[in-house]
Amino acid sequence: NKILMRTESIKRYFKGKNKTTFKAVDGISFTLHKGEVISFVGPNGAGKTTLIRSISGYLVPTSGKIEIMGLNLAKKPREARQKMGVVFGGDRGFYNSASAYDNLAFFARLLNVKEKDVKNNVLNALEIVNLLNVKDKYVGSFSKGMMQRLHIARGLVNKPEILMLDEPTAGLDVESVYTVRALIKNLKEAGHGIILTSHDMADIETLADTIHLIGGGKLVFSGNTDQIKEFA
Ligand code: ADP
Ligand code: ADP
């Protein structure tokens, strides 16, 4: 099974005035395969946010190596990041007075999608999240659930093999939660490798193939839902 991402990551932060350091992420390594959904679970302060931000390229790890589609994130940050769609939730990040199509076309160009591919990629992304029928509507008129699907479409607009979904169901009504979960299942079945974060354990239980338990910056245990339950 094809490996899409491979990491070995350490992040030190400075603590207090006397410049002592501690490891917020202490040598966590994992792989992500094609068609696999992985999640990180652990108590507050475990290092999940730091790890996720390092993988997405928002934070530079102190040491270690993050490889995305065979590219070293530290050495080829631009190319590596373009192999991964990073999806944050909420209702921000779009031009409310522009259409869904125009918003996504803007982001496609920002992500260096070739001009001849922009239209196809945008329509394809809108189709995957089932928003093709409202492509010309202003996104200001979208419901929260539609907005969340638009965020996912934005993550897909340059056809990345890896998707990082950060709290994709947060703040949604029950029906939209189910719609987004079904969408994530489809993306997995289409062969995407997905890193999913969620405070909703039901998301993780229904979607994650592999759950990584994090504690004190270390990987404590990895397994599927049943194995995690047995371990805990
Ligand atoms: P989690 O997401 O699992 O709650 P975090 O990655 O946010 O964990 O935090 C891990 C540890 O690193 C915590 O002890 C937190 O206080 C600390 N921490 C996070 N960000 C910083 C920072 N920018 N500077 C110093 N310490 C930080
Ligand atoms: P989240 O809710 O996403 O886990 P947090 O509340 O842990 O986010 O962190 C919010 C911000 O504060 C992050 O940018 C994090 O890096 C920073 N942060 C967290 N703990 C510390 C800390 N002890 N010192 C400095 N910055 C911190």
Side-chain angles (χ1 to χ4, degrees):
N1 203 347
K2 188 177 169 193
I3 291 177
L4 305 182
M5 182 187 286
R6 203 196 291 273
T7 77
E8 163 69 41
S9 181
I10 293 171
K11 180 65 185 181
R12 284 175 184 277
Y13 286 126
F14 290 106
K15 206 179 196 174
K17 280 180 181 163
N18 46 1
K19 285 192 174 179
T20 56
T21 66
F22 79 104
K23 293 178 186 168
V25 171
D26 189 0
I28 294 179
S29 65
F30 67 90
T31 51
L32 174 69
H33 296 85
K34 194 171 161 62
E36 184 185 27
V37 179
I38 66 171
S39 281
F40 299 98
V41 172
N44 270 337
K48 302 180 298 293
T49 308
T50 303
L51 179 65
I52 293 288
R53 288 188 183 154
S54 305
I55 303 162
S56 15
Y58 292 101
L59 258 181
V60 181
T62 313
S63 58
K65 188 178 180 189
I66 297 167
E67 226 178 65
I68 297 171
M69 304 299 297
L71 295 166
N72 185 332
L73 180 62
K75 291 190 174 140
K76 301 208 176 254
R78 250 178 88 83
E79 288 102 317
R81 283 182 66 169
Q82 284 181 6
K83 303 286 181 197
M84 179 166 55
V86 180
V87 179
F88 296 106
D91 48 12
R92 287 157 168 275
F94 293 107
Y95 294 97
N96 281 336
S97 56
S99 69
Y101 180 92
D102 285 343
N103 266 282
L104 292 189
F106 171 81
F107 287 107
R109 292 182 176 113
L110 210 62
L111 287 164
N112 290 329
V113 171
K114 289 196 183 88
E115 199 51 41
K116 67 173 175 60
D117 295 328
V118 168
K119 186 177 173 188
N120 269 341
N121 282 22
V122 168
L123 294 177
N124 180 57
L126 285 167
E127 186 174 20
I128 290 169
V129 302
N130 201 19
L131 288 176
L132 203 50
N133 56 331
V134 290
K135 69 179 170 56
D136 298 318
K137 290 230 162 79
Y138 292 150
V139 305
S141 68
F142 279 18
S143 68
K144 270 189 176 179
M146 291 162 81
M147 209 59 136
Q148 186 55 37
R149 284 184 280 141
L150 189 64
H151 273 284
I152 294 174
R154 179 164 102 182
L156 291 167
V157 87
N158 63 335
K159 302 199 163 176
E161 289 193 58
I162 300 170
L163 281 175
M164 163 89 75
L165 303 177
D166 193 17
E167 297 286 342
T169 61
L172 300 184
D173 61 82
V174 179
E175 211 180 306
S176 301
V177 169
Y178 287 129
T179 308
V180 167
R181 280 188 198 151
L183 171 54
I184 295 170
K185 272 211 176 93
N186 290 343
L187 290 167
K188 165 192 153 66
E189 271 150 30
H192 288 280
I194 296 171
I195 299 165
L196 171 73
T197 80
S198 180
H199 280 93
D200 184 348
M201 273 313 290
D203 281 347
I204 291 175
E205 279 190 21
T206 52
L207 295 167
D209 299 298
T210 310
I211 299 167
H212 296 297
L213 262 178
I214 311 282
K218 288 185 193 292
L219 197 58
V220 177
F221 187 80
S222 302
N224 62 29
T225 305
D226 293 339
Q227 291 165 332
I228 291 284
K229 279 183 178 160
E230 212 163 293
F231 176 83

